[in-house]
Amino acid sequence: MKNVLNYSYYPGCSLHASAKEYDESTKGVFKALRIGLNEVPDWFCCGATPAHNVDELLSLSLCAKNLSLADNVEGDLAVACAACFSRLKTAQHRLTENDIKRKQVETAIAGAVSLEKPVKHLLEILAKDYGLDRLADAVKKPLNGLKVATYYGCLLTRPPDVPELDCCEAPTIMENVIAATGAEPVAWSHRLECCGANFTLSRPGVVLNLSNAILASAKRAGADCIMVACPLCHGNLDIRQKEIEEANGTRYGMPVFYMTQLLGLAVGVPAGKLGLDSMIVNPLPLLKEKGLV
Amino acid sequence: MKNSKMYLSTETMNLGFVRKVEALSGSSVRRCFQCGKCSAGCPMRTFMEHPPNRIVRLLQLGQWERVLAGRSIWYCASCETCSTRCPNKVDLAAIMDALRKLSWDANGPSKESYVQLANRLFIENIKTYGRQYEMRLAAVFNIKSGQFMKDFLLGPKLLTKGKLKVFHQKNRNIGEIEQIFSRIEEMRKKGEAP
């Protein structure tokens, strides 16, 4: 069967290692929806936070290099990781606005900067390009009764002019996407707060503090689980959850899903192909209770 | 201090440094009128000795050395909340990037070494491999920071979950990244790039 849409794909470093279940489930969902996804060959790291933290020119050059590599593959560029998405979009904005920086980057990559290809987060592709109605029609196993805390984190919506995904203070795109599967998004306080991001390596104490507030808020709102669209958020909320519980003398037992894992369950991707066994907080008791596996 | 007024002028400000920060960040430092919205929304303020609005104030008052020597700039998470909410369109997140670069280029007068070490290793990994080699990043960080037991129990767990890739292939086009690094270095030597 022919694909209804086609994209080039930039997975980012995490999706080939610590977030491999995000990669696996993304491919599963896109295949089920008949959306083509062709990985950009030989892509490089986008530089993430450490590069722009200390060296803007390096950060912009790495992103410009990746954008020019992406030009070799047909279709808008689909990005799964919120941090890669933010860096690539930021580079497009800065290099469009600033001629001096663009010339420096062109010298660094020894070629013209290519800024034409739209860079899109998976959420945008599913909600806008594919469409919420079509998504709802594709649901084979509704996630009825599952209360989901949709966690945006920082970079999907901020700063307001860069991601062009949704409103920076009151977004609804994640809620809309998960509601299309029949799940119930809960109203909660911490969906836009920072999880501590890459301090997980240098200063994990920061993560134990900030991510604790997020887990506590989701629990207070009566959520069964948290849904994320960023490997760093997932690492902090899932991988460090036990440590957070110990440090704060509390217990959450809150499964943290990538959005594509939940969507995959709904559109009929076999549970074995969603990387559920890679999650540190075991989601199976919850999914069994709700009759979803 | 009755009727005391504080004037900002080119003398109090060290205009040269402020201009450097403004050029690097593409944001005004002078436009800030200290409403404090940035610090009100900053998730990292409790970890900083100077909250974000005070950092801008110190720059306006010519006390940039205190900013560069402190740890606050390294405790910014780049969450962009400050830049999102500033009523005067001061892009504080970009100013933080500029300050970190100035501190980094001056060989780090700041005492905050762990964040700088993590950044350095992350960038070294890009130069060596093309993509991030997460396991090496964590292992080398622990060795170089002397925290040999950090996340000792987490490692094996991640291994069994398949989340740690032990072997990591270099990009076959790694030469292109090495060239980007060396061209940037060359531009800087010639004074053509900051």
Side-chain angles (χ1 to χ4, degrees), chain B residues 22 26-27 49 65 95 128 148 175 182 191-192:
Chain B
E22 289 182 338
S27 164
E49 76 270 69
E65 280 142 324
I95 290 174
T128 314
F148 301 104
S182 62
E192 288 169 359

Side-chain angles (χ1 to χ4, degrees), chain A residues 13 18 20-21 42-45 52-53 55 65 107-108 154 158 169 201 203 240 277-279, chain B residues 75 79 85 97 100 112 130-132 134 150-151 161-163 171-173 176-177 183 188:
Chain A
C13 304
S18 58
K20 67 183 181 68
E21 67 266 43
D42 303 318
W43 52 268
F44 292 105
C45 174
H52 82 75
N53 257 348
D55 193 340
K65 181 73 193 165
T107 312
C154 303
R158 287 191 295 263
E169 296 282 11
L201 178 65
R203 291 285 180 190
R240 291 217 181 265
D277 53 351
S278 293
M279 294 163 64
Chain B
Y75 269 86
C79 75
R85 294 181 181 165
D97 275 354
R100 278 186 291 257
E112 173 48 45
R131 293 177 192 171
Q132 224 28 252
E134 291 173 341
K150 178 174 168 281
D151 294 331
K161 293 278 181 186
K163 279 178 168 279
N171 271 42
R172 56 181 182 172
N173 53 347
E176 295 178 40
I177 278 296
R183 285 193 208 103
R188 287 191 174 136

Side-chain angles (χ1 to χ4, degrees), chain A residues 53-69:
Chain A
N53 257 348
V54 296
D55 193 340
E56 190 198 24
L57 179 56
L58 175 66
S59 169
L60 294 175
S61 303
L62 291 169
C63 290
K65 181 73 193 165
N66 281 312
L67 289 171
S68 77
L69 288 171

Side-chain angles (χ1 to χ4, degrees), chain A residues 237-287:
Chain A
L237 295 172
D238 179 52
I239 297 174
R240 291 217 181 265
Q241 190 171 136
K242 193 161 167 249
E243 219 181 315
I244 291 168
E245 292 173 340
E246 282 164 7
N248 295 282
T250 179
R251 167 104 186 107
Y252 298 115
M254 176 81 69
V256 183
F257 294 97
Y258 285 106
M259 60 164 193
T260 42
Q261 291 179 304
L262 289 179
L263 290 175
L265 283 174
V267 300
V269 179
K273 293 201 163 178
L274 292 169
L276 298 173
D277 53 351
S278 293
M279 294 163 64
I280 303 292
V281 179
N282 184 4
L284 292 179
L286 170 68
L287 295 175

Side-chain angles (χ1 to χ4, degrees), chain A residues 50-51 53-54 198-199 201-203, chain B residues 74 100 103-104 107-108 110-125 132 136-148 150:
Chain A
N53 257 348
V54 296
N198 69 338
F199 287 108
L201 178 65
S202 52
R203 291 285 180 190
Chain B
W74 297 104
R100 278 186 291 257
S103 167
W104 180 266
N107 244 334
S110 166
K111 290 178 283 293
E112 173 48 45
S113 55
Y114 284 177
V115 179
Q116 296 194 61
L117 173 65
N119 284 354
R120 201 179 77 232
L121 297 174
F122 193 96
I123 293 171
E124 275 174 16
N125 260 357
Q132 224 28 252
R136 183 178 186 276
L137 182 66
V140 177
F141 178 84
N142 285 6
I143 293 165
K144 295 222 169 165
S145 65
Q147 307 174 93
F148 301 104
K150 178 174 168 281

Side-chain angles (χ1 to χ4, degrees), chain A residues 82-286:
Chain A
C84 302
F85 169 67
S86 173
R87 290 331 303 164
L88 294 169
K89 292 283 281 189
T90 300
Q92 283 187 323
H93 278 263
R94 295 256 165 92
L95 297 176
T96 307
E97 290 159 6
N98 191 318
D99 286 343
I100 302 171
K101 285 178 184 170
R102 199 181 66 233
K103 280 184 189 124
Q104 289 165 351
V105 167
E106 284 176 340
T107 312
I109 65 169
V113 169
S114 144
L115 303 167
E116 297 306 311
K117 191 190 274 275
V119 173
K120 292 180 174 172
H121 189 267
L122 304 182
L123 275 168
E124 186 177 351
I125 292 172
L126 294 167
K128 296 178 186 166
D129 295 2
Y130 190 76
L132 292 169
D133 291 343
R134 255 207 289 189
L135 188 61
D137 288 343
V139 170
K140 296 198 172 103
K141 194 196 289 175
L143 306 182
N144 292 341
L146 188 68
K147 291 187 175 171
V148 184
T150 50
Y151 178 59
Y152 291 81
C154 303
L155 299 176
L156 287 174
T157 59
R158 287 191 295 263
D161 53 334
V162 170
E164 302 167 300
L165 186 69
D166 203 348
C167 170
C168 62
E169 296 282 11
T172 53
I173 192 167
M174 279 183 124
E175 282 83 356
N176 296 344
V177 164
I178 201 62
T181 67
E184 184 191 328
V186 301
W188 63 306
S189 56
H190 277 57
R191 62 194 186 127
L192 297 166
E193 296 297 318
C194 177
C195 68
N198 69 338
F199 287 108
T200 191
L201 178 65
S202 52
R203 291 285 180 190
V206 168
V207 173
L208 301 188
N209 184 309
L210 297 185
S211 288
N212 179 53
I214 292 163
L215 289 164
S217 168
K219 193 90 179 168
R220 260 198 317 272
D224 297 317
C225 60
I226 295 179
M227 172 175 113
V228 300
C230 170
L232 277 168
C233 303
H234 191 269
N236 288 338
L237 295 172
D238 179 52
I239 297 174
R240 291 217 181 265
Q241 190 171 136
K242 193 161 167 249
E243 219 181 315
I244 291 168
E245 292 173 340
E246 282 164 7
N248 295 282
T250 179
R251 167 104 186 107
Y252 298 115
M254 176 81 69
V256 183
F257 294 97
Y258 285 106
M259 60 164 193
T260 42
Q261 291 179 304
L262 289 179
L263 290 175
L265 283 174
V267 300
V269 179
K273 293 201 163 178
L274 292 169
L276 298 173
D277 53 351
S278 293
M279 294 163 64
I280 303 292
V281 179
N282 184 4
L284 292 179
L286 170 68

Side-chain angles (χ1 to χ4, degrees), chain A residues 9-30:
Chain A
Y9 176 45
Y10 181 88
C13 304
S14 299
L15 275 80
H16 279 203
S18 58
K20 67 183 181 68
E21 67 266 43
Y22 194 13
D23 188 49
E24 192 183 0
S25 55
T26 296
K27 286 174 176 162
V29 168
F30 274 54

